[in-house]
């Protein structure tokens, strides 16, 4: 959220027609690297992040990126 310091970034994945699933989190201020251990093979996987403040307040979703596997 814009008015609060970011504590972490939550990473989400979905495929078209399915609800997003939270895959994990990356701490703010650390080098960001995240690996999806179980993508949907043969499908276009979409990913986005939400920033989360220490209070638990979440931002809206980032722009998504699609990855075909």
């Amino acid at each position: 959220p814009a008015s609060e310091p970011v504590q972490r970034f939550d990473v989400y994945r979905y495929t078209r027609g399915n609800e997003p699933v939270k895959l994990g989190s990356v701490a703010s201020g650390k080098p960001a690297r995240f690996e999806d251990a179980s993508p949907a093979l043969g499908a276009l996987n979409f990913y986005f992040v939400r920033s989360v403040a220490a209070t638990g307040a979440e931002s809206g979703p980032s722009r998504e990126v699609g990855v075909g596997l």
Side-chain angles (χ1 to χ4, degrees):
S3 63
E4 300 180 47
V6 174
Q7 180 183 30
R8 70 178 191 271
F9 297 94
D10 290 344
V11 180
Y12 293 83
R13 177 191 71 227
Y14 72 95
T15 55
R16 292 285 186 223
N18 293 301
E19 292 294 317
V21 175
K22 181 179 168 185
L23 299 176
S25 300
V26 176
S28 176
K30 305 283 183 183
R33 178 185 166 100
F34 190 88
E35 188 172 323
D36 185 355
S38 59
L41 299 177
L44 188 56
N45 294 268
F46 292 91
Y47 298 87
F48 65 88
V49 298
R50 291 181 184 263
S51 61
V52 182
T55 62
E58 289 185 325
S59 71
S62 68
R63 287 187 168 182
E64 63 186 30
V65 62
V67 179
L69 301 172

